[in-house]
Amino acid sequence: MSIDAAPRTPRGPVRRAERALAPDLARGAMLLIIAVANVAGVVFAGQPGLDATPEGVDRGLNFLLFELVHARGYPVFAVMFGYGLVQLARRQDASGATPKRVRAVLLRRHLWLVVFGFAHAALLYYGDFLGAYGIVGIVMTLVLLRRGDKFHRIALVIWAVAAVQVLVMGAIVVSGIIGGSGGSAPLLAIHVNSLAAPGYLESMLDRLGEWPMHTLTVLPFILIAWLGMWAARSRVLEEPARHKTLLKWTAVLGLGVAIAGGLPAALVSAGWLHVNESAAGLMLTLHGASGMFAGPGYVAVFGLIAMRVTRPGPVVGALSALGRRSLSGYLFQSVAWLILLAPFTLALGGRFGSPTVTGLIIAVAVWLATVLIARLLDKREQAGPAEIVLRRLTYGPRGRAAMPSHRLDDNGQS
């Protein structure tokens, strides 16, 4: 059974000029959001990263972090993960591979992602998503990939139900605020032992204990990735002009729900709203539930931007280059946090005044470094090192006939 919503003529490997711009642009730009969110967590050794007693400019930064960053970056990559899985399968189908062969390739790729995730968590950073991507990819390959259009519409029903739940939860929060619950409870941030460990070995041992639970808690993002699969079957990002109305409404409603749902927690984090412990917990739950809508919202924005770009300039080109090497960019960030921010290395987060401001500067600087490196690799037509390793493990040294060009990425676009 074809994974396309409508029959298509098989085509050969994707050339750079034929690539859809929006997925690459979204991945490259949103790695900045990932960097800012992760740095805040590392600096404050908690999840989410939160200055519990902000003063001055830190109040505004806390507010923006909860409105635009925390729990609002990873849903974008979850959407793109589901989208990319369909694209990978579609390219394999077009090359003449049998469904059994396509399934084997995808399963092997996602099993290796689990291995990547374990190594990433053990060596660098507890908050790994690669292992969860691998597990979700295996489930999606076996259960969802070859289903028909009617079955995939279940994802839309689930999102509609989730929207109603967020609306009800938001109404409860607002009624509590109007009722004047009072109190001075902070938002609950979970302490992360590995981020506060005094030595590398201690941090590694802590991460080995933290990674399995973290992976289990983020597995429900399969519902977000499923929406990406649905969008890929309709080629929403490859043909943005044909889906212009859908993209506009998705951007407005998705980001609108995320921003409105995150507002109460953002106000509390900034110290501009004071509530009791029960209300603070409910606000944080609303913040997380509404954050999933930022995924399709942000993706739709980049789809609309890509629709207007007739010829990518230096900025769009550089961001897209990083998007094609997003796995390498993501791992590069984790190396940087370990070197720059860990208590047993440079520990820069607490050395220059406000940790929030310092962390933000470091996050932007590291992200810009990955943008520049990706641009240089792009000019040389070289893939990222992590993409090369994953591709070789997936396809094997003799799998080049079914393997996308080594000069392209392995994010589902090749």
Side-chain angles (χ1 to χ4, degrees):
M1 181 184 295
S2 172
I3 59 175
D4 285 318
R8 299 273 173 170
T9 302
R11 302 169 62 192
V14 173
R15 296 181 177 86
R16 179 68 54 83
E18 297 173 328
R19 295 172 62 91
L21 175 62
D24 293 336
L25 182 59
R27 292 187 186 100
M30 292 305 296
L31 275 173
L32 173 60
I33 299 296
I34 298 298
V36 172
N38 287 345
V39 160
V42 173
V43 168
F44 293 105
Q47 183 62 35
L50 172 65
D51 184 349
T53 56
E55 296 291 341
V57 69
D58 290 346
R59 292 177 180 265
L61 291 176
N62 267 12
F63 180 84
L64 292 176
L65 283 173
F66 272 84
E67 279 285 58
L68 303 175
V69 176
H70 289 319
R72 276 127 181 87
Y74 84 87
V76 175
F77 286 88
V79 171
M80 297 313 305
F81 179 77
Y83 204 102
L85 191 150
V86 171
Q87 289 182 308
L88 277 171
R90 181 180 288 145
R91 297 315 307 176
Q92 291 287 322
D93 286 341
S95 72
T98 64
K100 183 177 180 181
R101 165 65 179 167
V102 174
R103 183 170 59 251
V105 167
L106 291 176
L107 290 177
R108 187 160 57 247
R109 180 179 189 269
H110 293 122
L111 282 170
W112 278 113
L113 269 181
V114 175
V115 176
F116 269 56
F118 174 78
H120 176 222
L123 300 175
L124 299 172
Y125 181 58
Y126 93 102
D128 165 75
F129 270 83
L130 300 181
Y133 283 147
I135 295 171
V136 167
I138 291 170
V139 174
M140 295 176 76
T141 299
L142 295 175
V143 179
L144 300 177
L145 183 62
R146 298 295 176 177
R147 297 282 188 169
D149 291 339
K150 290 184 178 180
F151 184 86
H152 282 284
R153 292 193 188 107
I154 296 175
L156 302 181
V157 176
I158 292 174
W159 275 78
V161 172
V164 173
Q165 291 176 333
V166 168
L167 182 63
V168 171
M169 196 182 306
I172 295 173
V173 169
V174 171
S175 65
I177 295 174
I178 295 175
S181 59
S184 58
L187 296 176
L188 177 63
I190 301 173
H191 180 73
V192 180
N193 291 332
S194 63
L195 298 178
Y200 179 73
L201 181 58
E202 293 92 335
S203 73
M204 183 175 178
L205 293 175
D206 285 334
R207 285 192 297 271
L208 289 174
E210 294 161 352
W211 179 70
M213 184 56 66
H214 177 269
T215 299
L216 287 175
T217 58
V218 300
L219 286 180
F221 78 72
I222 188 173
L223 299 178
I224 308 175
W226 193 1
L227 184 69
M229 292 188 77
W230 173 85
R233 290 172 62 85
S234 300
R235 297 179 181 267
V236 172
L237 296 181
E238 291 96 323
E239 302 169 358
R242 189 163 69 88
H243 299 92
K244 183 177 180 180
T245 301
L246 173 63
L247 289 171
K248 283 185 175 180
W249 277 106
T250 302
V252 172
L253 295 177
L255 292 179
V257 170
I259 291 173
L263 182 59
L267 290 171
V268 173
S269 74
W272 296 333
L273 178 65
H274 303 282
V275 297
N276 60 31
E277 185 175 348
S278 176
L282 185 57
M283 288 176 179
L284 198 57
T285 301
L286 173 63
H287 175 268
S290 61
M292 64 182 281
F293 289 87
Y298 274 127
V299 169
V301 168
F302 288 109
L304 292 169
I305 292 174
M307 186 177 63
R308 294 181 174 273
V309 176
T310 56
R311 186 176 180 180
V315 175
V316 172
L319 292 177
S320 300
L322 177 57
R324 289 189 289 273
R325 299 159 180 84
S326 58
L327 178 58
S328 295
Y330 174 63
L331 295 176
F332 182 95
Q333 288 184 9
S334 295
V335 174
W337 312 151
L338 185 66
I339 295 173
L340 300 176
L341 297 173
F344 48 85
T345 54
L346 296 179
L348 297 181
R351 291 191 179 184
F352 306 101
S354 165
T356 303
V357 174
T358 302
L360 180 61
I361 293 173
I362 290 173
V364 173
V366 170
W367 174 75
L368 285 174
T370 61
V371 171
L372 294 175
I373 293 171
R375 186 60 170 170
L376 291 174
L377 291 175
D378 202 54
K379 289 181 178 180
R380 299 178 181 179
E381 297 188 332
Q382 293 180 359
E387 284 76 14
I388 292 175
V389 172
L390 179 60
R391 187 174 301 117
R392 288 178 178 173
L393 291 170
T394 298
Y395 298 98
R398 298 184 180 181
R400 299 191 61 83
M403 172 178 164
S405 168
H406 73 285
R407 298 179 184 274
L408 300 177
D409 72 296
D410 202 24
N411 285 324
Q413 288 289 297
S414 299

PDB file of all heavy atoms in Angstrom, residues 44 50-67 263 265-274 354 356-357:
ATOM      1  N   PHE A  44      20.356  25.989  35.683  1.00  0.00           N
ATOM      2  CA  PHE A  44      19.633  25.907  36.957  1.00  0.00           C
ATOM      3  C   PHE A  44      19.454  24.467  37.433  1.00  0.00           C
ATOM      4  O   PHE A  44      18.772  24.220  38.438  1.00  0.00           O
ATOM      5  CB  PHE A  44      18.278  26.593  36.827  1.00  0.00           C
ATOM      6  CG  PHE A  44      18.383  28.086  36.621  1.00  0.00           C
ATOM      7  CD1 PHE A  44      18.162  28.646  35.378  1.00  0.00           C
ATOM      8  CD2 PHE A  44      18.737  28.904  37.670  1.00  0.00           C
ATOM      9  CE1 PHE A  44      18.272  30.006  35.173  1.00  0.00           C
ATOM     10  CE2 PHE A  44      18.856  30.282  37.488  1.00  0.00           C
ATOM     11  CZ  PHE A  44      18.629  30.839  36.231  1.00  0.00           C
ATOM     12  N   LEU A  50      14.617  27.215  35.443  1.00  0.00           N
ATOM     13  CA  LEU A  50      13.834  28.318  36.013  1.00  0.00           C
ATOM     14  C   LEU A  50      14.587  29.005  37.136  1.00  0.00           C
ATOM     15  O   LEU A  50      15.039  28.355  38.088  1.00  0.00           O
ATOM     16  CB  LEU A  50      12.504  27.769  36.539  1.00  0.00           C
ATOM     17  CG  LEU A  50      11.617  28.711  37.348  1.00  0.00           C
ATOM     18  CD1 LEU A  50      11.129  29.854  36.473  1.00  0.00           C
ATOM     19  CD2 LEU A  50      10.447  27.952  37.956  1.00  0.00           C
ATOM     20  N   ASP A  51      14.719  30.322  37.036  1.00  0.00           N
ATOM     21  CA  ASP A  51      15.212  31.136  38.143  1.00  0.00           C
ATOM     22  C   ASP A  51      14.027  31.374  39.076  1.00  0.00           C
ATOM     23  O   ASP A  51      13.077  32.080  38.729  1.00  0.00           O
ATOM     24  CB  ASP A  51      15.751  32.467  37.613  1.00  0.00           C
ATOM     25  CG  ASP A  51      16.360  33.329  38.699  1.00  0.00           C
ATOM     26  OD1 ASP A  51      16.183  32.993  39.887  1.00  0.00           O
ATOM     27  OD2 ASP A  51      16.987  34.347  38.368  1.00  0.00           O
ATOM     28  N   ALA A  52      14.059  30.756  40.250  1.00  0.00           N
ATOM     29  CA  ALA A  52      12.917  30.806  41.160  1.00  0.00           C
ATOM     30  C   ALA A  52      12.723  32.185  41.790  1.00  0.00           C
ATOM     31  O   ALA A  52      11.625  32.503  42.258  1.00  0.00           O
ATOM     32  CB  ALA A  52      13.076  29.762  42.258  1.00  0.00           C
ATOM     33  N   THR A  53      13.769  33.017  41.807  1.00  0.00           N
ATOM     34  CA  THR A  53      13.659  34.354  42.411  1.00  0.00           C
ATOM     35  C   THR A  53      14.193  35.402  41.439  1.00  0.00           C
ATOM     36  O   THR A  53      15.226  36.030  41.692  1.00  0.00           O
ATOM     37  CB  THR A  53      14.447  34.409  43.730  1.00  0.00           C
ATOM     38  OG1 THR A  53      15.819  34.038  43.476  1.00  0.00           O
ATOM     39  CG2 THR A  53      13.845  33.460  44.757  1.00  0.00           C
ATOM     40  N   PRO A  54      13.503  35.618  40.318  1.00  0.00           N
ATOM     41  CA  PRO A  54      14.014  36.552  39.302  1.00  0.00           C
ATOM     42  C   PRO A  54      13.904  38.004  39.762  1.00  0.00           C
ATOM     43  O   PRO A  54      12.999  38.372  40.502  1.00  0.00           O
ATOM     44  CB  PRO A  54      13.089  36.280  38.112  1.00  0.00           C
ATOM     45  CG  PRO A  54      11.797  35.858  38.734  1.00  0.00           C
ATOM     46  CD  PRO A  54      12.194  35.055  39.943  1.00  0.00           C
ATOM     47  N   GLU A  55      14.834  38.796  39.286  1.00  0.00           N
ATOM     48  CA  GLU A  55      14.823  40.233  39.543  1.00  0.00           C
ATOM     49  C   GLU A  55      15.144  40.960  38.244  1.00  0.00           C
ATOM     50  O   GLU A  55      15.897  40.462  37.412  1.00  0.00           O
ATOM     51  CB  GLU A  55      15.856  40.611  40.618  1.00  0.00           C
ATOM     52  CG  GLU A  55      15.593  40.014  41.997  1.00  0.00           C
ATOM     53  CD  GLU A  55      14.365  40.605  42.666  1.00  0.00           C
ATOM     54  OE1 GLU A  55      13.926  41.695  42.246  1.00  0.00           O
ATOM     55  OE2 GLU A  55      13.847  39.970  43.604  1.00  0.00           O
ATOM     56  N   GLY A  56      14.601  42.138  38.084  1.00  0.00           N
ATOM     57  CA  GLY A  56      14.922  42.967  36.933  1.00  0.00           C
ATOM     58  C   GLY A  56      14.624  42.308  35.606  1.00  0.00           C
ATOM     59  O   GLY A  56      13.531  41.769  35.385  1.00  0.00           O
ATOM     60  N   VAL A  57      15.616  42.296  34.726  1.00  0.00           N
ATOM     61  CA  VAL A  57      15.424  41.767  33.380  1.00  0.00           C
ATOM     62  C   VAL A  57      15.127  40.274  33.387  1.00  0.00           C
ATOM     63  O   VAL A  57      14.492  39.750  32.464  1.00  0.00           O
ATOM     64  CB  VAL A  57      16.669  42.060  32.514  1.00  0.00           C
ATOM     65  CG1 VAL A  57      17.867  41.239  32.976  1.00  0.00           C
ATOM     66  CG2 VAL A  57      16.381  41.798  31.044  1.00  0.00           C
ATOM     67  N   ASP A  58      15.553  39.579  34.437  1.00  0.00           N
ATOM     68  CA  ASP A  58      15.297  38.141  34.517  1.00  0.00           C
ATOM     69  C   ASP A  58      13.808  37.823  34.579  1.00  0.00           C
ATOM     70  O   ASP A  58      13.374  36.744  34.153  1.00  0.00           O
ATOM     71  CB  ASP A  58      15.996  37.537  35.737  1.00  0.00           C
ATOM     72  CG  ASP A  58      17.505  37.503  35.580  1.00  0.00           C
ATOM     73  OD1 ASP A  58      17.965  37.687  34.433  1.00  0.00           O
ATOM     74  OD2 ASP A  58      18.212  37.303  36.573  1.00  0.00           O
ATOM     75  N   ARG A  59      13.028  38.740  35.102  1.00  0.00           N
ATOM     76  CA  ARG A  59      11.579  38.534  35.123  1.00  0.00           C
ATOM     77  C   ARG A  59      11.027  38.439  33.705  1.00  0.00           C
ATOM     78  O   ARG A  59      10.255  37.531  33.382  1.00  0.00           O
ATOM     79  CB  ARG A  59      10.891  39.671  35.882  1.00  0.00           C
ATOM     80  CG  ARG A  59      11.170  39.713  37.371  1.00  0.00           C
ATOM     81  CD  ARG A  59      10.494  40.921  37.998  1.00  0.00           C
ATOM     82  NE  ARG A  59      10.744  40.995  39.438  1.00  0.00           N
ATOM     83  CZ  ARG A  59       9.921  40.505  40.362  1.00  0.00           C
ATOM     84  NH1 ARG A  59       8.805  39.898  39.990  1.00  0.00           N
ATOM     85  NH2 ARG A  59      10.206  40.612  41.644  1.00  0.00           N
ATOM     86  N   GLY A  60      11.435  39.367  32.872  1.00  0.00           N
ATOM     87  CA  GLY A  60      10.978  39.357  31.482  1.00  0.00           C
ATOM     88  C   GLY A  60      11.481  38.145  30.722  1.00  0.00           C
ATOM     89  O   GLY A  60      10.759  37.572  29.899  1.00  0.00           O
ATOM     90  N   LEU A  61      12.721  37.739  31.004  1.00  0.00           N
ATOM     91  CA  LEU A  61      13.269  36.561  30.334  1.00  0.00           C
ATOM     92  C   LEU A  61      12.545  35.292  30.759  1.00  0.00           C
ATOM     93  O   LEU A  61      12.265  34.422  29.934  1.00  0.00           O
ATOM     94  CB  LEU A  61      14.771  36.452  30.622  1.00  0.00           C
ATOM     95  CG  LEU A  61      15.651  37.528  29.984  1.00  0.00           C
ATOM     96  CD1 LEU A  61      17.108  37.364  30.416  1.00  0.00           C
ATOM     97  CD2 LEU A  61      15.545  37.482  28.460  1.00  0.00           C
ATOM     98  N   ASN A  62      12.246  35.166  32.049  1.00  0.00           N
ATOM     99  CA  ASN A  62      11.451  34.027  32.511  1.00  0.00           C
ATOM    100  C   ASN A  62      10.108  33.978  31.784  1.00  0.00           C
ATOM    101  O   ASN A  62       9.646  32.911  31.359  1.00  0.00           O
ATOM    102  CB  ASN A  62      11.197  34.131  34.021  1.00  0.00           C
ATOM    103  CG  ASN A  62      12.238  33.379  34.837  1.00  0.00           C
ATOM    104  OD1 ASN A  62      13.273  32.959  34.315  1.00  0.00           O
ATOM    105  ND2 ASN A  62      11.977  33.228  36.126  1.00  0.00           N
ATOM    106  N   PHE A  63       9.473  35.129  31.676  1.00  0.00           N
ATOM    107  CA  PHE A  63       8.174  35.217  31.002  1.00  0.00           C
ATOM    108  C   PHE A  63       8.279  34.718  29.559  1.00  0.00           C
ATOM    109  O   PHE A  63       7.469  33.902  29.097  1.00  0.00           O
ATOM    110  CB  PHE A  63       7.681  36.662  31.031  1.00  0.00           C
ATOM    111  CG  PHE A  63       6.356  36.863  30.357  1.00  0.00           C
ATOM    112  CD1 PHE A  63       5.172  36.636  31.031  1.00  0.00           C
ATOM    113  CD2 PHE A  63       6.298  37.288  29.033  1.00  0.00           C
ATOM    114  CE1 PHE A  63       3.943  36.819  30.400  1.00  0.00           C
ATOM    115  CE2 PHE A  63       5.082  37.471  28.392  1.00  0.00           C
ATOM    116  CZ  PHE A  63       3.898  37.232  29.083  1.00  0.00           C
ATOM    117  N   LEU A  64       9.289  35.195  28.834  1.00  0.00           N
ATOM    118  CA  LEU A  64       9.450  34.798  27.433  1.00  0.00           C
ATOM    119  C   LEU A  64       9.817  33.325  27.300  1.00  0.00           C
ATOM    120  O   LEU A  64       9.372  32.646  26.358  1.00  0.00           O
ATOM    121  CB  LEU A  64      10.520  35.665  26.769  1.00  0.00           C
ATOM    122  CG  LEU A  64      10.153  37.148  26.591  1.00  0.00           C
ATOM    123  CD1 LEU A  64      11.331  37.913  26.015  1.00  0.00           C
ATOM    124  CD2 LEU A  64       8.927  37.300  25.689  1.00  0.00           C
ATOM    125  N   LEU A  65      10.618  32.818  28.218  1.00  0.00           N
ATOM    126  CA  LEU A  65      10.978  31.404  28.173  1.00  0.00           C
ATOM    127  C   LEU A  65       9.744  30.519  28.291  1.00  0.00           C
ATOM    128  O   LEU A  65       9.594  29.537  27.551  1.00  0.00           O
ATOM    129  CB  LEU A  65      11.961  31.076  29.299  1.00  0.00           C
ATOM    130  CG  LEU A  65      13.419  31.508  29.104  1.00  0.00           C
ATOM    131  CD1 LEU A  65      14.224  31.279  30.365  1.00  0.00           C
ATOM    132  CD2 LEU A  65      14.050  30.755  27.937  1.00  0.00           C
ATOM    133  N   PHE A  66       8.843  30.868  29.195  1.00  0.00           N
ATOM    134  CA  PHE A  66       7.658  30.043  29.377  1.00  0.00           C
ATOM    135  C   PHE A  66       6.624  30.260  28.279  1.00  0.00           C
ATOM    136  O   PHE A  66       5.827  29.359  27.994  1.00  0.00           O
ATOM    137  CB  PHE A  66       7.038  30.297  30.755  1.00  0.00           C
ATOM    138  CG  PHE A  66       7.628  29.429  31.822  1.00  0.00           C
ATOM    139  CD1 PHE A  66       8.803  29.790  32.458  1.00  0.00           C
ATOM    140  CD2 PHE A  66       7.025  28.233  32.176  1.00  0.00           C
ATOM    141  CE1 PHE A  66       9.366  28.983  33.434  1.00  0.00           C
ATOM    142  CE2 PHE A  66       7.591  27.410  33.149  1.00  0.00           C
ATOM    143  CZ  PHE A  66       8.760  27.793  33.781  1.00  0.00           C
ATOM    144  N   GLU A  67       6.627  31.393  27.651  1.00  0.00           N
ATOM    145  CA  GLU A  67       5.677  31.636  26.577  1.00  0.00           C
ATOM    146  C   GLU A  67       6.123  31.023  25.243  1.00  0.00           C
ATOM    147  O   GLU A  67       5.303  30.488  24.497  1.00  0.00           O
ATOM    148  CB  GLU A  67       5.476  33.142  26.386  1.00  0.00           C
ATOM    149  CG  GLU A  67       4.524  33.776  27.359  1.00  0.00           C
ATOM    150  CD  GLU A  67       3.072  33.467  27.061  1.00  0.00           C
ATOM    151  OE1 GLU A  67       2.703  32.272  27.024  1.00  0.00           O
ATOM    152  OE2 GLU A  67       2.295  34.405  26.851  1.00  0.00           O
ATOM    153  N   LEU A 263       0.459  31.463  29.268  1.00  0.00           N
ATOM    154  CA  LEU A 263       0.460  32.774  29.918  1.00  0.00           C
ATOM    155  C   LEU A 263       0.403  32.706  31.441  1.00  0.00           C
ATOM    156  O   LEU A 263       1.202  33.381  32.115  1.00  0.00           O
ATOM    157  CB  LEU A 263      -0.694  33.618  29.372  1.00  0.00           C
ATOM    158  CG  LEU A 263      -0.806  35.041  29.929  1.00  0.00           C
ATOM    159  CD1 LEU A 263       0.469  35.833  29.657  1.00  0.00           C
ATOM    160  CD2 LEU A 263      -2.018  35.757  29.345  1.00  0.00           C
ATOM    161  N   ALA A 265       1.385  30.399  33.637  1.00  0.00           N
ATOM    162  CA  ALA A 265       2.674  29.943  34.179  1.00  0.00           C
ATOM    163  C   ALA A 265       3.763  30.977  33.925  1.00  0.00           C
ATOM    164  O   ALA A 265       4.644  31.181  34.781  1.00  0.00           O
ATOM    165  CB  ALA A 265       3.064  28.602  33.558  1.00  0.00           C
ATOM    166  N   ALA A 266       3.711  31.638  32.789  1.00  0.00           N
ATOM    167  CA  ALA A 266       4.714  32.662  32.482  1.00  0.00           C
ATOM    168  C   ALA A 266       4.621  33.818  33.465  1.00  0.00           C
ATOM    169  O   ALA A 266       5.641  34.357  33.920  1.00  0.00           O
ATOM    170  CB  ALA A 266       4.522  33.150  31.049  1.00  0.00           C
ATOM    171  N   LEU A 267       3.404  34.215  33.809  1.00  0.00           N
ATOM    172  CA  LEU A 267       3.230  35.310  34.760  1.00  0.00           C
ATOM    173  C   LEU A 267       3.739  34.921  36.149  1.00  0.00           C
ATOM    174  O   LEU A 267       4.368  35.733  36.848  1.00  0.00           O
ATOM    175  CB  LEU A 267       1.753  35.699  34.826  1.00  0.00           C
ATOM    176  CG  LEU A 267       1.185  36.386  33.580  1.00  0.00           C
ATOM    177  CD1 LEU A 267      -0.331  36.524  33.684  1.00  0.00           C
ATOM    178  CD2 LEU A 267       1.840  37.757  33.369  1.00  0.00           C
ATOM    179  N   VAL A 268       3.484  33.692  36.557  1.00  0.00           N
ATOM    180  CA  VAL A 268       3.976  33.224  37.857  1.00  0.00           C
ATOM    181  C   VAL A 268       5.502  33.151  37.852  1.00  0.00           C
ATOM    182  O   VAL A 268       6.167  33.555  38.817  1.00  0.00           O
ATOM    183  CB  VAL A 268       3.371  31.855  38.202  1.00  0.00           C
ATOM    184  CG1 VAL A 268       4.015  31.287  39.467  1.00  0.00           C
ATOM    185  CG2 VAL A 268       1.862  31.965  38.400  1.00  0.00           C
ATOM    186  N   SER A 269       6.086  32.639  36.752  1.00  0.00           N
ATOM    187  CA  SER A 269       7.541  32.508  36.670  1.00  0.00           C
ATOM    188  C   SER A 269       8.238  33.860  36.746  1.00  0.00           C
ATOM    189  O   SER A 269       9.358  33.961  37.236  1.00  0.00           O
ATOM    190  CB  SER A 269       7.931  31.791  35.375  1.00  0.00           C
ATOM    191  OG  SER A 269       7.778  32.639  34.251  1.00  0.00           O
ATOM    192  N   ALA A 270       7.559  34.887  36.248  1.00  0.00           N
ATOM    193  CA  ALA A 270       8.135  36.231  36.274  1.00  0.00           C
ATOM    194  C   ALA A 270       7.899  36.941  37.602  1.00  0.00           C
ATOM    195  O   ALA A 270       8.440  38.036  37.826  1.00  0.00           O
ATOM    196  CB  ALA A 270       7.541  37.063  35.139  1.00  0.00           C
ATOM    197  N   GLY A 271       7.101  36.346  38.484  1.00  0.00           N
ATOM    198  CA  GLY A 271       6.791  36.986  39.756  1.00  0.00           C
ATOM    199  C   GLY A 271       5.732  38.050  39.637  1.00  0.00           C
ATOM    200  O   GLY A 271       5.575  38.890  40.531  1.00  0.00           O
ATOM    201  N   TRP A 272       4.974  38.035  38.538  1.00  0.00           N
ATOM    202  CA  TRP A 272       3.928  39.036  38.315  1.00  0.00           C
ATOM    203  C   TRP A 272       2.541  38.519  38.694  1.00  0.00           C
ATOM    204  O   TRP A 272       1.565  39.254  38.620  1.00  0.00           O
ATOM    205  CB  TRP A 272       3.931  39.469  36.849  1.00  0.00           C
ATOM    206  CG  TRP A 272       5.194  40.163  36.450  1.00  0.00           C
ATOM    207  CD1 TRP A 272       6.035  40.878  37.266  1.00  0.00           C
ATOM    208  CD2 TRP A 272       5.782  40.209  35.149  1.00  0.00           C
ATOM    209  NE1 TRP A 272       7.106  41.364  36.546  1.00  0.00           N
ATOM    210  CE2 TRP A 272       6.979  40.971  35.243  1.00  0.00           C
ATOM    211  CE3 TRP A 272       5.424  39.695  33.905  1.00  0.00           C
ATOM    212  CZ2 TRP A 272       7.795  41.225  34.155  1.00  0.00           C
ATOM    213  CZ3 TRP A 272       6.244  39.950  32.815  1.00  0.00           C
ATOM    214  CH2 TRP A 272       7.413  40.706  32.940  1.00  0.00           C
ATOM    215  N   LEU A 273       2.460  37.256  39.064  1.00  0.00           N
ATOM    216  CA  LEU A 273       1.200  36.664  39.505  1.00  0.00           C
ATOM    217  C   LEU A 273       1.510  35.720  40.657  1.00  0.00           C
ATOM    218  O   LEU A 273       2.463  34.930  40.579  1.00  0.00           O
ATOM    219  CB  LEU A 273       0.533  35.901  38.356  1.00  0.00           C
ATOM    220  CG  LEU A 273      -0.777  35.176  38.669  1.00  0.00           C
ATOM    221  CD1 LEU A 273      -1.862  36.186  39.037  1.00  0.00           C
ATOM    222  CD2 LEU A 273      -1.215  34.329  37.479  1.00  0.00           C
ATOM    223  N   HIS A 274       0.718  35.800  41.729  1.00  0.00           N
ATOM    224  CA  HIS A 274       0.978  35.005  42.921  1.00  0.00           C
ATOM    225  C   HIS A 274      -0.213  34.088  43.189  1.00  0.00           C
ATOM    226  O   HIS A 274      -1.360  34.546  43.295  1.00  0.00           O
ATOM    227  CB  HIS A 274       1.235  35.925  44.118  1.00  0.00           C
ATOM    228  CG  HIS A 274       2.371  36.875  43.894  1.00  0.00           C
ATOM    229  ND1 HIS A 274       3.692  36.497  43.983  1.00  0.00           N
ATOM    230  CD2 HIS A 274       2.375  38.193  43.558  1.00  0.00           C
ATOM    231  CE1 HIS A 274       4.476  37.531  43.727  1.00  0.00           C
ATOM    232  NE2 HIS A 274       3.702  38.575  43.465  1.00  0.00           N
ATOM    233  N   SER A 354      23.874  37.597  36.019  1.00  0.00           N
ATOM    234  CA  SER A 354      22.642  36.818  35.898  1.00  0.00           C
ATOM    235  C   SER A 354      22.876  35.513  35.143  1.00  0.00           C
ATOM    236  O   SER A 354      23.283  35.528  33.977  1.00  0.00           O
ATOM    237  CB  SER A 354      21.575  37.635  35.153  1.00  0.00           C
ATOM    238  OG  SER A 354      20.516  36.806  34.726  1.00  0.00           O
ATOM    239  N   THR A 356      20.607  33.593  33.968  1.00  0.00           N
ATOM    240  CA  THR A 356      19.651  33.543  32.857  1.00  0.00           C
ATOM    241  C   THR A 356      20.198  34.276  31.646  1.00  0.00           C
ATOM    242  O   THR A 356      20.153  33.767  30.521  1.00  0.00           O
ATOM    243  CB  THR A 356      18.306  34.161  33.279  1.00  0.00           C
ATOM    244  OG1 THR A 356      17.797  33.476  34.422  1.00  0.00           O
ATOM    245  CG2 THR A 356      17.295  34.059  32.157  1.00  0.00           C
ATOM    246  N   VAL A 357      20.725  35.473  31.862  1.00  0.00           N
ATOM    247  CA  VAL A 357      21.269  36.262  30.758  1.00  0.00           C
ATOM    248  C   VAL A 357      22.504  35.588  30.179  1.00  0.00           C
ATOM    249  O   VAL A 357      22.663  35.475  28.948  1.00  0.00           O
ATOM    250  CB  VAL A 357      21.617  37.696  31.227  1.00  0.00           C
ATOM    251  CG1 VAL A 357      22.324  38.466  30.110  1.00  0.00           C
ATOM    252  CG2 VAL A 357      20.348  38.426  31.654  1.00  0.00           C
TER     253      VAL A 357
END
